[in-house]
Short mmCIF file of all heavy atoms in Angstrom, two decimals:
data_model
loop_
_atom_site.label_atom_id
_atom_site.label_comp_id
_atom_site.label_asym_id
_atom_site.label_seq_id
_atom_site.Cartn_x
_atom_site.Cartn_y
_atom_site.Cartn_z
N THR A 86 0.09 1.23 -9.36
CA THR A 86 1.21 0.42 -9.50
C THR A 86 2.19 1.38 -10.28
O THR A 86 1.78 2.31 -11.03
CB THR A 86 1.09 -0.74 -10.35
OG1 THR A 86 0.46 -0.53 -11.44
CG2 THR A 86 0.22 -1.79 -9.54
N ASP A 87 3.56 1.09 -10.15
CA ASP A 87 4.53 1.93 -10.88
C ASP A 87 5.67 0.99 -11.02
O ASP A 87 5.84 -0.14 -10.49
CB ASP A 87 5.09 3.02 -9.82
CG ASP A 87 5.73 4.12 -10.48
OD1 ASP A 87 5.77 4.20 -11.72
OD2 ASP A 87 6.33 4.94 -9.86
N ARG A 88 6.55 1.29 -11.99
CA ARG A 88 7.66 0.53 -12.39
C ARG A 88 8.85 1.04 -11.60
O ARG A 88 9.02 2.29 -11.62
CB ARG A 88 7.96 0.41 -13.85
CG ARG A 88 6.96 -0.41 -14.45
CD ARG A 88 7.62 -0.97 -15.88
NE ARG A 88 6.67 -1.85 -16.61
CZ ARG A 88 6.50 -3.09 -16.32
NH1 ARG A 88 7.31 -3.71 -15.48
NH2 ARG A 88 5.74 -3.77 -16.89
N ARG A 89 9.73 0.29 -11.04
CA ARG A 89 11.01 0.68 -10.40
C ARG A 89 12.22 0.20 -11.22
O ARG A 89 11.94 -0.22 -12.27
CB ARG A 89 11.06 0.12 -9.02
CG ARG A 89 10.10 0.77 -8.11
CD ARG A 89 10.57 2.24 -7.72
NE ARG A 89 9.55 2.82 -6.89
CZ ARG A 89 9.30 4.02 -6.79
NH1 ARG A 89 9.92 4.88 -7.47
NH2 ARG A 89 8.46 4.50 -5.84
N ARG A 90 13.31 0.34 -10.71
CA ARG A 90 14.54 -0.05 -11.37
C ARG A 90 14.40 -1.62 -11.79
O ARG A 90 13.78 -2.39 -11.04
CB ARG A 90 15.75 -0.01 -10.39
CG ARG A 90 16.15 1.47 -10.09
CD ARG A 90 17.07 1.68 -9.13
NE ARG A 90 17.99 0.47 -8.78
CZ ARG A 90 19.17 0.47 -8.15
NH1 ARG A 90 19.46 1.53 -7.56
NH2 ARG A 90 19.88 -0.57 -7.98
N HIS A 91 15.01 -1.82 -12.85
CA HIS A 91 15.03 -3.18 -13.54
C HIS A 91 13.69 -3.74 -13.81
O HIS A 91 13.38 -4.89 -13.87
CB HIS A 91 15.82 -4.16 -12.59
CG HIS A 91 17.15 -3.56 -12.17
ND1 HIS A 91 18.12 -3.48 -13.11
CD2 HIS A 91 17.66 -3.24 -11.09
CE1 HIS A 91 19.21 -3.01 -12.50
NE2 HIS A 91 18.91 -2.83 -11.17
N GLY A 92 12.67 -2.81 -14.09
CA GLY A 92 11.37 -3.20 -14.45
C GLY A 92 10.38 -3.82 -13.24
O GLY A 92 9.43 -4.40 -13.67
N LYS A 93 10.80 -3.80 -12.08
CA LYS A 93 10.00 -4.29 -10.96
C LYS A 93 8.83 -3.47 -10.79
O LYS A 93 8.77 -2.18 -10.82
CB LYS A 93 10.95 -4.36 -9.76
CG LYS A 93 12.19 -5.16 -10.02
CD LYS A 93 12.34 -6.24 -8.92
CE LYS A 93 13.63 -6.92 -9.23
NZ LYS A 93 13.57 -8.26 -9.03
N MET A 94 7.68 -4.12 -10.52
CA MET A 94 6.49 -3.37 -10.13
C MET A 94 6.34 -3.02 -8.62
O MET A 94 6.78 -3.91 -7.74
CB MET A 94 5.23 -4.34 -10.53
CG MET A 94 5.12 -4.53 -12.01
SD MET A 94 4.86 -3.10 -13.01
CE MET A 94 3.26 -2.75 -12.50
N VAL A 95 5.73 -1.94 -8.34
CA VAL A 95 5.47 -1.52 -6.99
C VAL A 95 4.04 -0.96 -6.90
O VAL A 95 3.63 -0.14 -7.78
CB VAL A 95 6.52 -0.27 -6.59
CG1 VAL A 95 6.19 0.17 -5.19
CG2 VAL A 95 7.93 -0.87 -6.69
N THR A 96 3.34 -1.48 -5.88
CA THR A 96 2.04 -0.89 -5.56
C THR A 96 2.11 0.12 -4.60
O THR A 96 2.64 0.02 -3.50
CB THR A 96 1.11 -2.02 -5.04
OG1 THR A 96 1.14 -3.09 -6.09
CG2 THR A 96 -0.27 -1.58 -4.86
N LYS A 97 1.56 1.42 -4.91
CA LYS A 97 1.62 2.53 -4.01
C LYS A 97 0.24 2.74 -3.42
O LYS A 97 -0.77 2.71 -3.99
CB LYS A 97 1.95 3.79 -4.77
CG LYS A 97 3.35 3.87 -5.39
CD LYS A 97 3.63 5.09 -6.03
CE LYS A 97 4.94 5.22 -6.67
NZ LYS A 97 5.20 6.62 -7.25
N VAL A 98 0.23 2.89 -2.14
CA VAL A 98 -0.97 3.23 -1.31
C VAL A 98 -0.94 4.64 -0.82
O VAL A 98 0.02 4.88 0.04
CB VAL A 98 -1.19 2.31 -0.15
CG1 VAL A 98 -2.49 2.51 0.64
CG2 VAL A 98 -1.35 0.82 -0.69
N GLU A 99 -1.59 5.59 -1.31
CA GLU A 99 -1.48 6.99 -0.92
C GLU A 99 -2.84 7.59 -0.51
O GLU A 99 -3.86 6.97 -0.77
CB GLU A 99 -0.69 7.74 -2.02
CG GLU A 99 -1.42 7.69 -3.34
CD GLU A 99 -0.67 8.30 -4.52
OE1 GLU A 99 0.46 8.85 -4.22
OE2 GLU A 99 -1.06 8.23 -5.52
N GLY A 100 -2.75 8.78 0.01
CA GLY A 100 -4.01 9.42 0.36
C GLY A 100 -4.49 9.15 1.74
O GLY A 100 -5.60 9.56 2.03
N ILE A 101 -3.67 8.44 2.53
CA ILE A 101 -4.11 8.20 3.98
C ILE A 101 -3.64 9.33 4.80
O ILE A 101 -2.45 9.27 5.37
CB ILE A 101 -3.55 6.88 4.37
CG1 ILE A 101 -4.06 5.78 3.55
CG2 ILE A 101 -3.96 6.55 5.84
CD1 ILE A 101 -3.47 4.38 3.61
N GLU A 102 -4.43 10.42 4.91
CA GLU A 102 -3.85 11.64 5.65
C GLU A 102 -4.40 11.82 7.09
O GLU A 102 -3.89 12.68 7.73
CB GLU A 102 -4.49 12.86 4.67
CG GLU A 102 -3.90 12.81 3.37
CD GLU A 102 -2.47 12.92 3.18
OE1 GLU A 102 -1.78 13.47 4.03
OE2 GLU A 102 -1.90 12.36 2.16
N HIS A 103 -5.33 11.03 7.47
CA HIS A 103 -5.83 11.11 8.85
C HIS A 103 -4.76 10.95 9.83
O HIS A 103 -4.13 9.90 9.87
CB HIS A 103 -7.00 10.17 9.09
CG HIS A 103 -7.79 10.52 10.31
ND1 HIS A 103 -7.47 10.14 11.58
CD2 HIS A 103 -8.98 11.30 10.41
CE1 HIS A 103 -8.34 10.63 12.45
NE2 HIS A 103 -9.25 11.36 11.75
N PRO A 104 -4.46 11.87 10.74
CA PRO A 104 -3.27 11.74 11.66
C PRO A 104 -3.47 10.65 12.70
O PRO A 104 -2.44 10.26 13.31
CB PRO A 104 -3.20 13.13 12.34
CG PRO A 104 -4.49 13.76 12.12
CD PRO A 104 -5.11 13.15 10.82
N ALA A 105 -4.71 10.21 12.95
CA ALA A 105 -4.90 9.15 13.94
C ALA A 105 -4.44 7.75 13.38
O ALA A 105 -4.38 6.80 14.06
CB ALA A 105 -6.28 9.24 14.45
N THR A 106 -4.29 7.71 12.05
CA THR A 106 -4.07 6.44 11.44
C THR A 106 -2.50 6.12 11.61
O THR A 106 -1.69 6.95 11.23
CB THR A 106 -4.34 6.40 9.93
OG1 THR A 106 -5.76 6.84 9.78
CG2 THR A 106 -4.06 5.14 9.28
N ASP A 107 -2.32 4.93 12.19
CA ASP A 107 -0.80 4.57 12.42
C ASP A 107 -0.38 3.95 11.05
O ASP A 107 -0.66 2.77 10.74
CB ASP A 107 -0.67 3.54 13.40
CG ASP A 107 0.73 3.16 13.84
OD1 ASP A 107 1.67 3.64 13.04
OD2 ASP A 107 0.90 2.21 14.76
N ILE A 108 0.34 4.73 10.29
CA ILE A 108 0.69 4.30 8.81
C ILE A 108 1.66 3.10 8.88
O ILE A 108 1.56 2.19 8.05
CB ILE A 108 1.36 5.47 8.09
CG1 ILE A 108 1.38 5.25 6.59
CG2 ILE A 108 2.74 5.83 8.66
CD1 ILE A 108 0.05 5.60 5.84
N HIS A 109 2.49 2.96 9.91
CA HIS A 109 3.42 1.83 10.04
C HIS A 109 2.74 0.58 10.38
O HIS A 109 2.89 -0.42 9.81
CB HIS A 109 4.44 2.22 11.06
CG HIS A 109 5.42 3.23 10.69
ND1 HIS A 109 6.36 3.07 9.79
CD2 HIS A 109 5.38 4.50 11.10
CE1 HIS A 109 7.05 4.19 9.47
NE2 HIS A 109 6.47 5.20 10.45
N GLN A 110 1.64 0.65 11.17
CA GLN A 110 0.80 -0.58 11.54
C GLN A 110 0.00 -1.06 10.29
O GLN A 110 -0.05 -2.14 10.01
CB GLN A 110 -0.14 -0.18 12.64
CG GLN A 110 -0.88 -1.41 13.20
CD GLN A 110 -0.12 -2.64 13.70
OE1 GLN A 110 0.89 -2.49 14.18
NE2 GLN A 110 -0.54 -3.86 13.30
N LEU A 111 -0.46 0.02 9.60
CA LEU A 111 -1.25 -0.29 8.37
C LEU A 111 -0.42 -0.97 7.37
O LEU A 111 -0.84 -1.96 6.70
CB LEU A 111 -1.98 0.94 7.78
CG LEU A 111 -2.78 0.77 6.56
CD1 LEU A 111 -3.95 -0.22 6.76
CD2 LEU A 111 -3.31 2.05 6.09
N ALA A 112 0.84 -0.45 7.15
CA ALA A 112 1.80 -1.07 6.24
C ALA A 112 2.03 -2.50 6.65
O ALA A 112 2.19 -3.43 5.81
CB ALA A 112 3.08 -0.29 6.20
N LYS A 113 2.23 -2.73 7.91
CA LYS A 113 2.57 -4.09 8.38
C LYS A 113 1.41 -5.09 8.04
O LYS A 113 1.61 -6.09 7.60
CB LYS A 113 2.68 -4.12 9.87
CG LYS A 113 3.23 -5.38 10.55
CD LYS A 113 3.39 -5.21 12.03
CE LYS A 113 3.83 -6.55 12.65
NZ LYS A 113 4.21 -6.46 14.01
N VAL A 114 0.12 -4.62 8.23
CA VAL A 114 -1.03 -5.41 7.93
C VAL A 114 -0.98 -5.70 6.35
O VAL A 114 -1.16 -6.81 5.98
CB VAL A 114 -2.29 -4.67 8.41
CG1 VAL A 114 -3.61 -5.50 7.75
CG2 VAL A 114 -2.41 -4.62 9.85
N LEU A 115 -0.79 -4.77 5.58
CA LEU A 115 -0.84 -4.86 4.12
C LEU A 115 0.24 -5.81 3.61
O LEU A 115 -0.03 -6.69 2.86
CB LEU A 115 -0.67 -3.52 3.39
CG LEU A 115 -1.82 -2.60 3.41
CD1 LEU A 115 -1.59 -1.25 2.93
CD2 LEU A 115 -2.95 -3.17 2.56
N LYS A 116 1.52 -5.66 4.28
CA LYS A 116 2.56 -6.55 3.84
C LYS A 116 2.23 -8.05 4.23
O LYS A 116 2.58 -8.91 3.52
CB LYS A 116 3.84 -6.10 4.40
CG LYS A 116 4.41 -4.74 3.80
CD LYS A 116 5.73 -4.46 4.37
CE LYS A 116 5.86 -4.23 5.80
NZ LYS A 116 7.22 -3.70 6.20
N ASN A 117 1.63 -8.27 5.43
CA ASN A 117 1.32 -9.57 5.81
C ASN A 117 0.23 -10.18 4.86
O ASN A 117 0.39 -11.34 4.52
CB ASN A 117 0.84 -9.61 7.26
CG ASN A 117 2.05 -9.44 8.23
OD1 ASN A 117 3.10 -9.76 7.86
ND2 ASN A 117 1.73 -8.97 9.46
N LYS A 118 -0.86 -9.33 4.54
CA LYS A 118 -1.94 -9.96 3.82
C LYS A 118 -1.58 -10.17 2.38
O LYS A 118 -2.11 -10.99 1.71
CB LYS A 118 -3.20 -9.03 3.89
CG LYS A 118 -3.69 -8.86 5.30
CD LYS A 118 -4.45 -10.05 5.74
CE LYS A 118 -5.09 -9.81 6.99
NZ LYS A 118 -5.83 -11.04 7.50
N CYS A 119 -0.67 -9.33 1.92
CA CYS A 119 -0.26 -9.47 0.51
C CYS A 119 1.05 -10.31 0.39
O CYS A 119 1.43 -10.64 -0.90
CB CYS A 119 0.05 -8.08 -0.05
SG CYS A 119 -1.35 -6.96 -0.19
N ALA A 120 1.60 -10.84 1.43
CA ALA A 120 2.80 -11.65 1.45
C ALA A 120 3.84 -10.95 0.55
O ALA A 120 4.37 -11.53 -0.30
CB ALA A 120 2.47 -13.08 0.88
N ALA A 121 4.07 -9.74 0.83
CA ALA A 121 5.05 -9.06 0.06
C ALA A 121 5.89 -8.11 0.99
O ALA A 121 5.40 -7.69 2.15
CB ALA A 121 4.43 -8.10 -0.99
N GLY A 122 7.07 -7.68 0.48
CA GLY A 122 7.82 -6.69 1.28
C GLY A 122 7.21 -5.25 0.97
O GLY A 122 6.41 -5.19 0.12
N GLY A 123 7.80 -4.28 1.69
CA GLY A 123 7.42 -2.91 1.39
C GLY A 123 8.02 -2.03 2.35
O GLY A 123 8.76 -2.35 3.13
N THR A 124 7.72 -0.70 2.10
CA THR A 124 8.27 0.36 2.95
C THR A 124 7.23 1.52 3.14
O THR A 124 6.21 1.58 2.39
CB THR A 124 9.53 0.81 2.39
OG1 THR A 124 10.16 1.85 3.14
CG2 THR A 124 9.24 1.57 1.05
N VAL A 125 7.48 2.30 4.10
CA VAL A 125 6.65 3.52 4.31
C VAL A 125 7.66 4.72 4.03
O VAL A 125 8.79 4.80 4.56
CB VAL A 125 6.26 3.63 5.77
CG1 VAL A 125 5.52 4.97 5.97
CG2 VAL A 125 5.34 2.49 6.07
N LYS A 126 7.14 5.64 3.15
CA LYS A 126 7.91 6.91 2.91
C LYS A 126 6.96 7.98 3.08
O LYS A 126 6.05 8.26 2.34
CB LYS A 126 8.39 6.81 1.39
CG LYS A 126 9.31 5.81 1.05
CD LYS A 126 9.81 5.87 -0.42
CE LYS A 126 10.89 4.81 -0.63
NZ LYS A 126 11.29 4.80 -1.98
N GLY A 127 7.07 8.68 4.26
CA GLY A 127 6.23 9.78 4.65
C GLY A 127 4.75 9.15 4.94
O GLY A 127 4.65 8.30 5.80
N ARG A 128 3.85 9.51 4.19
CA ARG A 128 2.48 9.01 4.25
C ARG A 128 2.11 8.15 3.13
O ARG A 128 1.04 7.79 2.76
CB ARG A 128 1.48 10.16 4.34
CG ARG A 128 1.61 11.06 5.55
CD ARG A 128 1.33 10.43 6.85
NE ARG A 128 0.09 10.05 7.17
CZ ARG A 128 -0.34 9.48 8.19
NH1 ARG A 128 0.50 9.10 9.25
NH2 ARG A 128 -1.61 9.15 8.40
N LEU A 129 3.14 7.60 2.44
CA LEU A 129 3.01 6.69 1.26
C LEU A 129 3.45 5.32 1.64
O LEU A 129 4.59 5.16 2.17
CB LEU A 129 3.86 7.29 0.11
CG LEU A 129 3.95 6.41 -1.05
CD1 LEU A 129 2.57 6.34 -1.93
CD2 LEU A 129 5.05 6.82 -2.07
N ILE A 130 2.68 4.26 1.28
CA ILE A 130 3.08 2.92 1.59
C ILE A 130 3.40 2.38 0.19
O ILE A 130 2.62 2.31 -0.78
CB ILE A 130 1.98 2.03 2.25
CG1 ILE A 130 1.67 2.64 3.56
CG2 ILE A 130 2.37 0.60 2.36
CD1 ILE A 130 0.33 2.00 4.21
N GLU A 131 4.52 1.61 0.03
CA GLU A 131 4.93 0.97 -1.13
C GLU A 131 5.04 -0.50 -0.91
O GLU A 131 5.76 -0.94 0.02
CB GLU A 131 6.21 1.47 -1.72
CG GLU A 131 6.28 2.87 -2.23
CD GLU A 131 7.49 3.37 -2.83
OE1 GLU A 131 8.53 2.61 -2.73
OE2 GLU A 131 7.61 4.45 -3.45
N LEU A 132 4.45 -1.26 -1.75
CA LEU A 132 4.36 -2.81 -1.62
C LEU A 132 5.16 -3.22 -2.87
O LEU A 132 4.84 -2.89 -3.93
CB LEU A 132 3.05 -3.40 -1.57
CG LEU A 132 2.09 -2.93 -0.36
CD1 LEU A 132 0.77 -3.45 -0.62
CD2 LEU A 132 2.65 -3.44 0.86
N GLN A 133 5.96 -4.28 -2.73
CA GLN A 133 6.71 -4.90 -3.88
C GLN A 133 5.74 -5.66 -4.57
O GLN A 133 4.98 -6.51 -4.06
CB GLN A 133 7.85 -5.73 -3.38
CG GLN A 133 8.94 -4.90 -2.64
CD GLN A 133 9.98 -5.74 -2.09
OE1 GLN A 133 9.91 -6.93 -2.03
NE2 GLN A 133 11.06 -5.08 -1.43
N ALA A 134 5.76 -5.52 -5.94
CA ALA A 134 4.93 -6.25 -6.93
C ALA A 134 3.45 -5.68 -7.07
O ALA A 134 3.13 -4.62 -6.34
CB ALA A 134 4.75 -7.74 -6.56
N ASP A 135 2.71 -6.23 -7.91
CA ASP A 135 1.36 -5.71 -8.23
C ASP A 135 0.38 -6.36 -7.28
O ASP A 135 -0.07 -7.43 -7.42
CB ASP A 135 1.05 -6.03 -9.68
CG ASP A 135 -0.30 -5.31 -10.06
OD1 ASP A 135 -0.88 -4.63 -9.28
OD2 ASP A 135 -0.66 -5.53 -11.30
N HIS A 136 -0.06 -5.59 -6.29
CA HIS A 136 -1.08 -6.07 -5.41
C HIS A 136 -2.33 -5.16 -5.23
O HIS A 136 -2.87 -4.98 -4.21
CB HIS A 136 -0.43 -6.15 -3.99
CG HIS A 136 0.63 -7.21 -3.83
ND1 HIS A 136 0.41 -8.59 -3.95
CD2 HIS A 136 2.04 -7.06 -3.74
CE1 HIS A 136 1.56 -9.23 -3.77
NE2 HIS A 136 2.48 -8.37 -3.83
N LYS A 137 -2.81 -4.56 -6.31
CA LYS A 137 -3.80 -3.54 -6.22
C LYS A 137 -5.17 -4.17 -5.63
O LYS A 137 -5.75 -3.58 -4.77
CB LYS A 137 -4.10 -3.04 -7.70
CG LYS A 137 -3.13 -2.00 -8.10
CD LYS A 137 -3.60 -1.28 -9.35
CE LYS A 137 -3.33 -2.19 -10.64
NZ LYS A 137 -3.57 -1.38 -11.93
N LYS A 138 -5.58 -5.31 -6.21
CA LYS A 138 -6.73 -5.89 -5.77
C LYS A 138 -6.74 -6.30 -4.32
O LYS A 138 -7.63 -6.07 -3.59
CB LYS A 138 -7.12 -7.12 -6.70
CG LYS A 138 -7.50 -6.73 -8.02
CD LYS A 138 -7.87 -7.88 -8.88
CE LYS A 138 -8.12 -7.48 -10.30
NZ LYS A 138 -8.37 -8.77 -11.15
N LYS A 139 -5.71 -7.01 -3.89
CA LYS A 139 -5.55 -7.47 -2.50
C LYS A 139 -5.43 -6.30 -1.53
O LYS A 139 -6.07 -6.34 -0.51
CB LYS A 139 -4.39 -8.43 -2.45
CG LYS A 139 -4.28 -9.07 -1.02
CD LYS A 139 -5.42 -10.01 -0.85
CE LYS A 139 -5.16 -10.75 0.49
NZ LYS A 139 -6.39 -11.69 0.85
N ALA A 140 -4.60 -5.25 -1.84
CA ALA A 140 -4.52 -4.13 -0.94
C ALA A 140 -5.81 -3.40 -0.86
O ALA A 140 -6.22 -2.92 0.15
CB ALA A 140 -3.39 -3.18 -1.58
N ALA A 141 -6.59 -3.25 -2.03
CA ALA A 141 -7.86 -2.53 -1.91
C ALA A 141 -8.82 -3.34 -1.06
O ALA A 141 -9.59 -2.73 -0.20
CB ALA A 141 -8.43 -2.47 -3.38
N GLU A 142 -8.84 -4.64 -1.16
CA GLU A 142 -9.78 -5.39 -0.30
C GLU A 142 -9.38 -5.28 1.18
O GLU A 142 -10.16 -5.10 2.02
CB GLU A 142 -9.63 -6.97 -0.63
CG GLU A 142 -10.35 -7.90 0.01
CD GLU A 142 -10.08 -9.28 -0.34
OE1 GLU A 142 -10.04 -9.67 -1.52
OE2 GLU A 142 -9.98 -10.16 0.52
N VAL A 143 -7.98 -5.32 1.52
CA VAL A 143 -7.62 -5.10 2.99
C VAL A 143 -8.05 -3.76 3.46
O VAL A 143 -8.50 -3.73 4.57
CB VAL A 143 -6.07 -5.37 2.98
CG1 VAL A 143 -5.62 -5.04 4.40
CG2 VAL A 143 -5.74 -6.81 2.67
N LEU A 144 -7.88 -2.79 2.60
CA LEU A 144 -8.19 -1.47 2.98
C LEU A 144 -9.71 -1.24 3.28
O LEU A 144 -10.05 -0.57 4.26
CB LEU A 144 -7.60 -0.42 2.03
CG LEU A 144 -6.12 -0.16 2.03
CD1 LEU A 144 -5.80 0.62 0.88
CD2 LEU A 144 -5.61 0.45 3.27
N LYS A 145 -10.45 -1.81 2.39
CA LYS A 145 -12.03 -1.68 2.50
C LYS A 145 -12.31 -2.45 3.81
O LYS A 145 -13.24 -1.82 4.53
CB LYS A 145 -12.57 -2.37 1.26
CG LYS A 145 -12.67 -1.51 0.22
CD LYS A 145 -13.46 -2.20 -1.00
CE LYS A 145 -13.38 -1.31 -2.31
NZ LYS A 145 -13.96 -2.03 -3.44
N ASN A 146 -11.70 -3.57 4.07
CA ASN A 146 -12.10 -4.29 5.32
C ASN A 146 -11.64 -3.56 6.59
O ASN A 146 -12.23 -3.77 7.68
CB ASN A 146 -11.48 -5.67 5.32
CG ASN A 146 -12.05 -6.63 4.30
OD1 ASN A 146 -13.13 -6.38 3.76
ND2 ASN A 146 -11.35 -7.61 3.85
N ASN A 147 -10.82 -2.60 6.46
CA ASN A 147 -10.28 -1.87 7.65
C ASN A 147 -11.07 -0.41 7.67
O ASN A 147 -10.54 0.45 8.44
CB ASN A 147 -8.80 -1.63 7.54
CG ASN A 147 -8.04 -2.86 8.07
OD1 ASN A 147 -8.30 -3.21 9.19
ND2 ASN A 147 -7.26 -3.45 7.21
N GLY A 148 -12.03 -0.25 6.88
CA GLY A 148 -12.88 1.02 6.90
C GLY A 148 -12.31 2.15 6.02
O GLY A 148 -12.86 3.27 6.27
N PHE A 149 -11.54 1.96 5.13
CA PHE A 149 -11.00 3.04 4.26
C PHE A 149 -11.80 3.11 2.98
O PHE A 149 -12.30 2.00 2.45
CB PHE A 149 -9.59 2.89 3.93
CG PHE A 149 -8.70 3.07 5.04
CD1 PHE A 149 -8.22 1.95 5.82
CD2 PHE A 149 -8.20 4.31 5.43
CE1 PHE A 149 -7.37 2.07 6.92
CE2 PHE A 149 -7.36 4.52 6.59
CZ PHE A 149 -7.00 3.32 7.31
N ASN A 150 -12.01 4.29 2.50
CA ASN A 150 -12.54 4.43 1.13
C ASN A 150 -11.44 4.21 0.16
O ASN A 150 -10.44 4.85 0.30
CB ASN A 150 -13.21 5.82 0.94
CG ASN A 150 -14.49 5.94 1.83
OD1 ASN A 150 -15.23 5.16 2.11
ND2 ASN A 150 -14.61 7.24 2.31
N VAL A 151 -11.77 3.32 -0.86
CA VAL A 151 -10.62 3.01 -1.83
C VAL A 151 -10.98 3.34 -3.19
O VAL A 151 -12.22 3.14 -3.75
CB VAL A 151 -10.48 1.42 -1.72
CG1 VAL A 151 -9.43 0.95 -2.77
CG2 VAL A 151 -10.09 1.02 -0.36
N GLU A 152 -9.94 3.83 -3.84
CA GLU A 152 -10.09 4.19 -5.40
C GLU A 152 -9.02 3.58 -6.04
O GLU A 152 -7.74 3.95 -5.62
CB GLU A 152 -10.08 5.61 -5.56
CG GLU A 152 -10.08 6.13 -7.08
CD GLU A 152 -10.00 7.64 -7.27
OE1 GLU A 152 -10.49 8.33 -6.42
OE2 GLU A 152 -9.29 7.98 -8.24
N VAL A 153 -9.16 2.64 -6.85
CA VAL A 153 -8.01 1.88 -7.58
C VAL A 153 -7.67 2.57 -8.92
O VAL A 153 -8.69 2.80 -9.67
CB VAL A 153 -8.39 0.43 -7.71
CG1 VAL A 153 -7.20 -0.20 -8.42
CG2 VAL A 153 -8.65 -0.25 -6.37
N ARG A 154 -6.49 2.96 -9.16
CA ARG A 154 -6.06 3.55 -10.35
C ARG A 154 -5.09 2.76 -11.01
O ARG A 154 -4.38 1.96 -10.47
CB ARG A 154 -5.46 5.00 -10.05
CG ARG A 154 -6.64 5.82 -9.70
CD ARG A 154 -6.00 7.36 -9.63
NE ARG A 154 -5.60 7.61 -8.23
CZ ARG A 154 -4.79 8.58 -7.82
NH1 ARG A 154 -4.32 9.35 -8.74
NH2 ARG A 154 -4.66 8.82 -6.59
#
């Protein structure tokens, strides 16, 4: 997580480097499961608010190795 303008929290999902992974589709799944807005910046997914636990759970269920920091 990180703080943005006006103190808003943002959850960052990074380290998804495999070229076969559709980052936009993964972002769509994460936004739906976390019920949050978000964006893709390069290979980084940003979700609005603190969704570390939920995002980690969704990524594990989709076969990714997860490290929460």
